[in-house]
Amino acid sequence: MLNMLVTGGCGFIGSNFIQYLLKESDFSGRVINVDKLTYAGNPENLMDIEKDLPGRYVFVKSDICHLEEVNRIFKEYSIDSVCHLAAESHVDRSIVRPDVFIRTNIIGTFNLLECTRTARDQLELFHHISTDEVFGSLGKDGLFTEETPYSPNSPYSASKASSDHLVRAYHKTYDLPVTISNCSNNYGPYQFPEKLIPLMILNAVEGKPLPVYGDGRNVRDWLFVRDHCTAIWTIMKQGKRGETYNIGGNTEMENIRIVEMICDILDEYKKGEGNQSRRELITFVKDRPGHDRRYAIDFNKIKDQLGWTPKESLESGLRKTIQWYLDNAEWVNRVKSGEYKSWIEEHYG
Ligand code: NAD
Ligand code: TYD
């Protein structure tokens, strides 16, 4: 893997993955980051890489839905491996505007597969990043395994399920060297503050209401983003072509409990207005339509076959995440005010 195409590298997981790959892992090649820079993409996240490692990092502002453009990038940079992260990723947005999800997540993935099929001879690997949400919702018991039938419930998860099927089909039909990973909810530095954890941290810091959907008893498994990055790289290096791997954090938790943990950690720093506990900001709001009740993941396959396990507990990961958001107030302000968009216009047009 000398010339790795990373799609969506300016997003939350993509930024963390490129940082990990170029600064910490044993990857010795070059990363070509293709990102359209939607509201969720912020190239500032990789400014240090762009400055410090110019020979090993190239950024191309482009849309994976433009087949000719992607084909050109494959040729120009002699792409020999792909880590595909670009997607529309937020369930609430998919309920309001499913069309963008169908376009990027399905058509975009199809385009990339078509390009890799054309460049088949030089392609070592196409790794596709997906979600445990494709499996649908669990009852009180049980875990998603790699064999759990797909049963997606939101336009987001249905679009991701569709892209997973395409990747699998290209392996079966065209013998494309692919791997797929389905992971649980990520959290950590650089996450756009529309997802549960950063939204709650920032609202709690500002003394704003903490909107918990429904009864707050929905359960998610939480994966610290750096653990996800090490898992992706492990699969890319050692995973068996054609196989799928589940990745989890071993941290099942009800939403309400997560929000309470965030409040309690922030209270340790400084109590809220009038010395109140931040738990008083918790506000139950109307439930999300089609809200999946419980996700939980069995990651024994990657653990037993590839020797990967998550390092972070929920408590330690949350503390690191909260500290990062407190230490990076400028990043937060620029992202929340949309100011980073004018910076992007200036730099990338
Ligand atoms: P994100 O929304 O933070 O970032 C997505 C990135 O993709 C952005 O930089 C955006 O500009 C880019 N992008 C969007 N449309 C594009 C297009 N048409 N062409 C090129 N670039 C485009 O998402 P994330 O949270 O970093 O998620 C990355 C991947 O991981 C996604 O495939 C997502 O489905 C998957 N995933 C995320 C989670 C999670 O908890 N965040 C969990 C499981 C799986
Ligand atoms: P989210 O971070 O949107 O991830 P996903 O929907 O992909 O799991 O939401 C995580 C959980 O938190 C989910 O059960 C919905 C809930 N939630 C809230 O209760 N309030 C909120 O403001 C948000 C954004 C999410």
Side-chain angles (χ1 to χ4, degrees), residues 62-334:
S62 190
D63 185 339
I64 55 166
C65 296
H66 293 155
L67 182 58
E68 276 174 24
E69 175 70 0
V70 183
N71 255 324
R72 186 192 63 74
I73 294 165
F74 262 79
K75 288 202 187 89
E76 181 174 345
Y77 296 102
S78 308
I79 301 299
D80 58 16
S81 45
V82 179
C83 182
H84 176 34
L85 293 126
E88 288 292 336
S89 68
H90 190 39
V91 174
D92 290 330
R93 285 180 190 257
S94 81
I95 295 168
V96 184
R97 283 290 307 271
D99 53 328
V100 226
F101 286 70
I102 302 308
R103 184 178 177 275
T104 287
N105 299 1
I106 304 178
I107 309 289
T109 303
F110 166 69
N111 278 346
L112 286 168
L113 288 166
E114 277 294 281
C115 291
T116 44
R117 188 160 75 92
T118 316
R120 170 77 187 79
D121 289 347
Q122 68 201 48
L123 191 85
E124 212 173 302
L125 177 68
F126 183 100
H127 181 66
H128 176 63
I129 308 284
S130 191
T131 166
D132 60 357
E133 303 192 22
V134 296
F135 299 121
S137 188
L138 288 165
K140 267 210 193 100
D141 306 312
L143 301 169
F144 297 134
T145 72
E146 286 80 0
E147 273 70 50
T148 303
Y150 276 33
S151 182
N153 292 317
S154 71
Y156 164 65
S157 53
S159 68
K160 291 298 290 187
S162 174
S163 64
D164 294 9
H165 288 319
L166 282 169
V167 176
R168 187 176 177 279
Y170 270 64
H171 172 69
K172 292 280 178 193
T173 307
Y174 305 112
D175 199 24
L176 209 71
V178 310
T179 43
I180 300 177
S181 52
N182 296 84
C183 69
S184 55
N185 286 57
N186 282 223
Y187 68 106
Y190 299 108
Q191 188 165 31
F192 192 84
E194 63 183 354
K195 304 269 166 58
L196 181 77
I197 289 181
L199 179 83
M200 294 297 164
I201 295 173
L202 297 182
N203 278 15
V205 167
E206 291 177 26
K208 288 186 182 163
L210 308 177
V212 174
Y213 298 163
D215 63 2
R217 306 282 302 277
N218 301 64
V219 172
R220 298 289 182 267
D221 174 82
W222 294 94
L223 175 64
F224 190 63
V225 66
R226 192 181 180 286
D227 280 331
H228 187 196
C229 294
T230 60
I232 296 171
W233 185 227
T234 302
I235 296 168
M236 290 188 80
K237 284 202 304 184
Q238 305 169 42
K240 195 163 164 233
R241 296 338 185 210
E243 294 279 315
T244 288
Y245 296 88
N246 281 353
I247 310 170
N250 212 10
T251 58
E252 253 190 83
M253 190 66 73
E254 286 183 347
N255 292 338
I256 184 68
R257 186 65 203 117
I258 293 267
V259 178
E260 287 171 352
M261 283 172 80
I262 292 170
C263 290
D264 295 349
I265 295 172
L266 281 168
D267 283 348
E268 283 174 23
Y269 285 91
K270 187 172 173 286
K271 279 270 166 69
E273 192 83 2
N275 217 28
Q276 281 179 339
S277 159
R278 286 185 170 77
R279 285 189 184 208
E280 290 180 36
L281 298 169
I282 293 173
T283 312
F284 290 93
V285 299
K286 194 162 167 276
D287 209 353
R288 169 191 280 174
H291 195 176
D292 287 335
R293 192 63 173 169
R294 177 171 165 259
Y295 303 146
I297 201 152
D298 175 340
F299 59 88
N300 276 315
K301 181 174 173 181
I302 184 171
K303 185 165 152 241
D304 296 344
Q305 295 183 10
L306 309 183
W308 175 89
T309 47
K311 296 279 170 292
E312 218 66 62
S313 71
L314 187 54
E315 168 89 20
S316 65
L318 268 184
R319 284 185 183 278
K320 283 185 182 169
T321 306
I322 289 173
Q323 192 62 56
W324 188 87
Y325 280 91
L326 292 175
D327 289 345
N328 288 276
E330 242 175 66
W331 182 93
V332 169
N333 289 337
R334 284 164 75 76

